[in-house]
Each structure stands twice: as C-alpha cells, then as structure tokens.
Amino acid sequence: MSGGGDKEGIKSARAANSDCSLILESLIVGKSTEADSMVEWSDAERSAIAAVWGKLNLDEVGPQALGRVLIVYPWTQRYFGTFGDLSNAAAILGNPKVANHGKVVLGALDKAVKNLDNIKGTYANLSQLHCEKLNVDPDNFRLLADCLTIVIATKFGAAFPPQVQATWQKLMAVVVAALTSRYF
Amino acid sequence: MVEWTDFERATIQDIFSKMDYESVGHNALARCLVVYPWTQRYFGNFGNLYNAAAIMGNPKVAAHGVVVLHGLDRAVKNMDNIKATYAELSVLHSEKLHVDPDNFRLLADCLTIVVASRLGTGFTADVQAAFQKFLAVVGAALTKQYH
C-alpha cells in the first residue's frame, strides 16, 4: 500500500514551509511512488484471480495456449525458428520445445499473479529482454493473452462467468502493458 | 474473395447448427457489456445495466443477443458472399446506429469465449482458427460501408 512514501513526503513538505504545507500536502498525498502500481485491485478481483489461477494446471495450460498462438496466428512462428517442426497443428501441439516454452511463459505469469501490486516492476527485466534481445512485436503479447483466456474458457465452461472474465482480462491487459513498458 | 477450406466450412456449419442461439446470443452480448463497459452507451434504453447481475438478468439484453445471432446466421448461410449479405447491415450500423467498428471485434471475442466454454475440448486450435477467421470476415463486411 502507499502509506510509507506519502508520510515521508508530507513530513518534508511541512519542514520546508509551514505556510504552504496544506497545499503541498494535498499534492503529495495524491502522488504514487515507483513501487506503487497505478493499478487498483478490489478484494473481489484478487480472489477471482486467485481462484482461477489455483485451478489451472500450468504445465498443461501453458503448452496449450502457446500452441494455439502458433496455429491461429501463424506469423508468430517466426520467433521460434529453432523449435523444429511447426508445419501443422498436430506437429505444433506435439512439439516438445513448444510445450516446454509454454511452461516457461506460464511460470513467468505466476510471478505477476503473486505480485499483483507491482506487475510493472516485476516485469521490467522481462520487458527489456523481449524488446532488445528477442525483438518481439508487443502486439503478440495480446494474442497470447487472448489464447490463454480461450483455453481457460474451454476448461472452466460455466465457471468462467462474465464478471470473472472481466477481471481476468484486466489482469491480462496489465501484464501486456507491463511487458510493453520498456519498449519506448 | 474469401477462400474457405472444406474444414473451415464444415466447422462453421457444425458450430452454428448445434448452437442454442438464445442462450449463446444472450451470454455473448451480456459479456460484452460487462467486460467492455463503454459498449453500454449503445443501449441507453435497455434499462438497468448497473452491474453484471443486472446485465445478465436484463430481458432486453437477452432479446437483442438473439437478434445479433440471427444476423450472424445470414453470414453462416452465405459464406461465399458475406460482404454483399451485410451491405445493408453495414450501412445501418454506420449511418443510423453510429457504432464504432472496433466494437465488432469485442463482440466477436466474447462470442468466441462463449463458444469455447460450451465446446470445451471440442474447441481445438484448428476450430478456433476457423471460427476467428469467420468472425474477422464478418467484422470486415460490417465495417465495409463505413468509409
């Protein structure tokens, strides 16, 4: 939460100039520190995310989501030139490198789920990696997020109602924004 | 001209022939209004859209969801000429309803999620690809008369 940074700001404002302290206080109370995410999560959203994540088998869902991306949006295969046979859906879904990399991606997503209040900070290095080393077009993050959402829908059926979908897509949007944050 | 493989044609026909239009239409439109709340601006006379429960229980939302799915049905039955089939609907959405065409994609995404949740493992990657291609063509046809 934002308590620590704001209190320090208020103390120094008062020390600086008591006449202006009220004005400075109102400016500083509104300020968020680097560690504070601009994203607010309600209690309902936090528990919805935990509930969805808790039911997912990451080793199963990761490969399925990545496989779908490579099949439904074939241009994404260009990032995986060393993965061997991606020539058709069966090859992609049976490809062990795809499966393994799907698990890596979901493992990284786990960090976001466990650090909801600082996803941007958590993903700073990953963002830099995807931009400077891997040269991934950030549009593709949204495609993977969409495929993951669809995999969840296929597994959860009626247990993925509109409100849960809304919360999940908010998490995906925040993750995508965080991964894109070091690009510009 | 959009080319459809035999698999794509069969997949689209199969999905829609087994679909409960009332339930899926209602669910997809409701999701759109919940997940992308700015879309509620197009339904000012629908009454209570205050929260997810209100939206899901709103009879006008349910009725309109069915209207939309029946509109989609026309594309299913005219896959080789979706653009012409939707020419008037496109004019309607642009000139009379003033719908931002980005919203067609949002509704398509919600419809995809509803179909995925109904078909479960039957919504394979190939089926997803065919379904999303179909909805992309529909969206493009609906946007055609805007400019």
Side-chain angles (χ1 to χ4, degrees), chain B residues 49-64:
Chain B
L49 300 178
Y50 187 62
N51 55 37
I55 290 169
M56 288 303 290
N58 186 310
K60 288 189 172 182
V61 171
H64 197 68

Side-chain angles (χ1 to χ4, degrees), chain A residues 164-175:
Chain A
V164 175
Q165 178 190 338
T167 300
W168 180 257
Q169 290 197 210
K170 175 177 170 176
L171 174 64
M172 292 293 95
V174 171
V175 163

Side-chain angles (χ1 to χ4, degrees), chain A residues 3-4 12 18-19 29 41 58 60 66 75 85 87 89 93-94 96 101 103 105 116 126 136 146 150-151 165-166 169:
Chain A
S12 58
S18 56
D19 288 340
V29 162
W41 300 99
L58 304 191
E60 189 198 350
L66 183 58
W75 59 87
D85 188 3
S87 55
L93 292 171
H101 197 67
K103 295 178 194 175
V105 170
L116 285 181
L126 262 180
V136 177
D146 285 353
I150 285 173
V151 170
Q165 178 190 338
Q169 290 197 210

